[in-house]
């Protein structure tokens, strides 16, 4: 019997040709989806292939199975070696790779073949056949053969049982990508990432069938690429001293390291698109060569996050510098696209510069926005002369699009819509859906980052084609990209946590047919993928499945109401009391629990008898019910909230503070003040290293009442009755957070409590770690 899944792929021939010269998107007719194929976890593959036909029989792959390249094609042999390595790393099976016709019926084989008739109309398409006699993966081009091998690798690793043969059901797969550009941007300017990690990321991208690494190499906080004609770019521009002092930090990539990384990526069918950000985000370059600037000073490499004011000037000498830099960039990166930034170029310095204004008059340009358009047109002409294509952030739409520019739309979809309607190719990378520096969970154990959530489901639900575009305009949407900005990611492990498992959702959005989307089915197929992550050593976030344990005062004194939940609601929840690990024979959570205090609750979600994530635990007593951490406090406003990392606590964990950097003020909502006689606030301070541009005028001032400032605690509102005031000293929380204790007059009832620090010290950001209400009882 044959079961069939056949789903349409949206054909984007124009978009695909832009990258590969031919239509890179296969097209298949729509057929009904059968229940047999949609059985949860029936196909442990991500992203979901375009067409799957189940057939009778199966094939077992064991240690003696041969990966065979009959004609000895060098590219196919390279794919075979990669496949063997992936299987060995996750499954522990050491498969040999050979050429010729193998040993016939005496040895089972996996055949890899370059076949001009296989894989449809795209170089990235492939055909995979499993029968009782063996496995055959075929594609018309090496890229497609690689992606077919990745699908086979997933079929061979439904679990990570080491050295154990695996039986794969017979099937026929025909597959190809929906979009030609399937990208991830890695920002290495804010925090340098070592070459070894960049290579790891390339490996992981390739295993998700993602094919573009957008490498953000320059910004205000660091220039990371060696340019031999301008050595000060890395001698000075690659390093900065932290605002709190200490040793300088940074790093850069030599040209030999870049060539090695580019070769490594090419072998895995990943193209690297470098970004040299211009004319804004250029402070590191101007720190190295002040004559590039518009302000006439010599700034340091920035230690501030945000929008810095430094712009390149528009002198011919500066355009000569740009031409020299891009010449070396193009020598290192052979891909067609070069990203030149163009974002967040605030024009204050251009407006204030007599030299820039004179240059505008000389060019007959009346506005600074038009001057940026001129700047971008010069860059496009330069790149086009070398057969390259300009990519820029969507601000280049506002400045006047160069004739053949590609737009990367990050401020929502409007830039993409305008560009596509004007006949320009676009890449969808909106901040509200695909910025992976936004956190994916709201647990207090999440790392620093932007607290606006972009969950796994948010990524999976993203629709790349704006509804405002007609079919012809939609063909200009050549792909999607997730962006990883690293202001708050100081280590590769933090980048991994931000990327995974959201990269899996991105991959399915970018590769699979739109009609194939099924959230619950995706979650089922994600479980074996998480096993592969563990085998590969990927430090992924478990936010989508982790237990959230919440406690509130119970209906009776001495009791608490405890609720258990997870972000996705996937699996069944089991819990224990007393500290032991939950198992399948532990009580199943079905409704809120009424528990006597004190209590220790441990919980996890289970699928097929196994926990999806490590269990979470919460100790609950009378004091903990009156404790709030900064994530549990509300902000007094929502201007620009961040979760910032602080020093290490005594237990070795890092303090993380949620704070609105434009209004550092907190609300303890619904505080039960009956009997409360004291409020303890664990207070910290961080350097205020943020550039807010024109938004600086919206910072809420909180002037001090005492010499060094004071912690103020108000009831009902921030202008309400003053419950307590604790004067600060010059050394308060200078090295690490301190607990300030304030006695209050006993209050009655439930109230909101507002807390903030009145101070006049510039360069200091006061933050709250916890607020504890203490009762007389």
């Amino acid at each position: 019997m044959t079961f069939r899944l056949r789903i349409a792929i949206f054909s984007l021939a124009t978009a695909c040709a832009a990258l590969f010269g031919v239509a890179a998107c296969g097209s298949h007719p729509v057929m009904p989806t059968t229940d047999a194929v949609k059985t949860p976890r029936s196909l442990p593959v991500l992203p979901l292939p375009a067409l799957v036909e189940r057939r009778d029989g199966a094939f077992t792959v064991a240690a003696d199975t041969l990966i065979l390249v009959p004609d000895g094609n060098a590219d196919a042999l390279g794919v075979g070696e990669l496949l063997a390595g992936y299987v060995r790393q996750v499954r522990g099976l050491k498969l040999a790779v050979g050429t010729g016709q193998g040993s016939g019926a005496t040895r089972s084989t996996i055949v890899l073949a370059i076949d001009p008739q296989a894989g449809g109309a795209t170089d990235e398409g492939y055909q995979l056949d499993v029968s009782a006699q063996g496995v055959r993966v075929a594609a018309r081009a090496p890229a497609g053969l690689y992606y077919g091998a990745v699908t086979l690798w997933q079929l061979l690793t439904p679990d990570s049982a080491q050295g154990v043969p695996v039986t794969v059901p017979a099937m026929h797969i025909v597959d190809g990508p929906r979009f030609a550009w399937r990208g991830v941007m890695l920002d290495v300017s804010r925090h340098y990432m070592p070459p070894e990690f960049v290579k790891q990321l390339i490996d992981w991208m390739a295993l998700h069938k993602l094919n573009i690494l957008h490498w953000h190499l320059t910004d205000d906080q660091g220039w990371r690429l060696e340019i031999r004609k301008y050595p000060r770019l890395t001698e000075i521009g690659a390093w900065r001293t932290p605002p709190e002092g200490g040793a300088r930090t940074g790093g850069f990539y030599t040209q030999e390291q870049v060539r090695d990384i580019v070769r490594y990526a090419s072998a895995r069918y990943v193209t690297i698109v470098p970004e040299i950000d211009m004319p804004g985000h250029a402070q590191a370059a101007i720190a190295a060569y002040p004559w590039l600037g518009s302000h006439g000073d010599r700034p340091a490499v920035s230690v501030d996050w945000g929008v810095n004011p430094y712009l390149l000037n528009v002198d011919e000498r500066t355009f000569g510098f740009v031409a020299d830099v891009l010449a070396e960039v193009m020598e290192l990166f052979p891909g067609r696209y070069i990203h030149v930034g163009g974002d967040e170029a605030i024009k204050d310095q251009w407006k204030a510069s007599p030299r820039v204004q004179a240059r505008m008059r000389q060019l007959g340009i009346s506005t600074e926005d038009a001057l940026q358009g001129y700047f971008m047109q010069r860059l496009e002409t330069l790149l086009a002369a070398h057969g390259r294509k300009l990519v820029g952030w969507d601000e280049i739409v506002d400045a006047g699009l160069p004739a053949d520019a590609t737009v990367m739309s990050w401020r929502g979809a409007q830039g993409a819509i305008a560009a596509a309607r004007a006949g320009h190719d676009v890449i969808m990378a909106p901040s509200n859906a695909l910025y992976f520096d936004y956190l994916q969970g709201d647990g207090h154990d999440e790392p620093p980052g932007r607290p606006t959530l972009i969950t796994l489901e948010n990524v999976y639900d993203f629709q790349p084609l704006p509804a405002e575009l007609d079919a012809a305009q939609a063909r200009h949407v050549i792909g999607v990209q997730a962006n990883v900005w690293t202001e708050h990611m100081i280590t590769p492990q933090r980048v991994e946590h931000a990327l995974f498992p959201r990269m899996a959702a991105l991959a399915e959005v970018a590769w699979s047919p739109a009609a194939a989307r099924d959230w619950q089915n995706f979650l089922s197929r994600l479980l074996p993928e998480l096993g592969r992550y563990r085998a590969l050593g990927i430090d992924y976030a478990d936010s989508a499945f982790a237990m959230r344990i919440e406690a509130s005062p119970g209906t009776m004194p001495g009791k608490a109401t405890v609720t258990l939940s997870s972000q996705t609601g996937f699996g069944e929840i089991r819990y224990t009391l007393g500290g032991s690990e939950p198992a399948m024979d532990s009580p199943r959570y079905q409704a809120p629990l009424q528990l006597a205090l004190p209590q220790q609750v441990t919980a996890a979600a289970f699928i097929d008898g196994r926990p999806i994530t490590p269990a979470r635990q919460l100790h609950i007593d009378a004091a903990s019910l009156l404790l709030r951490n900064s994530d549990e406090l509300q902000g007094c406003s929502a201007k620009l909230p961040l979760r910032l990392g602080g020093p290490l606590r005594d237990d070795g964990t890092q303090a993380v503070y949620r704070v609105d950097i434009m209004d550092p003020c907190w609300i303890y909502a619904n505080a039960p003040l009956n009997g409360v006689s004291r409020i303890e606030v664990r207070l910290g301070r961080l350097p205020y290293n943020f550039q807010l541009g024109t938004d600086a005028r919206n910072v809420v001032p909180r002037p001090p009442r005492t010499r060094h400032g004071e912690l103020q605690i108000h009831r009902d509102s921030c202008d309400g009755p003053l419950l307590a005031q604790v004067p600060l000293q010059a050394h308060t929380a200078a090295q690490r957070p301190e607990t300030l204790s304030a006695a209050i007059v006993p209050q009655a009832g439930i109230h909101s409590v507002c807390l903030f620090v009145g101070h006049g010290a510039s360069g200091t950001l006061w933050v709250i770690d916890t607020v504890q209400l203490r009762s007389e009882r």
Side-chain angles (χ1 to χ4, degrees), residues 248-266:
R248 69 177 190 166
T249 63
F252 66 93
Y253 308 97
T254 68
Q255 293 200 1
E256 284 309 308
Q257 287 174 323
V258 170
R259 289 190 178 93
D260 178 56
I261 291 170
V262 168
R263 285 192 296 267
Y264 190 88
S266 179

Side-chain angles (χ1 to χ4, degrees), residues 626-645:
L626 299 176
L627 178 70
R628 300 289 183 271
N629 61 51
S630 63
D631 283 314
E632 294 167 326
L633 300 171
Q634 297 176 5
C636 298
S637 59
K639 294 178 180 292
L640 187 50
L642 296 174
R643 294 181 82 250
L644 302 177

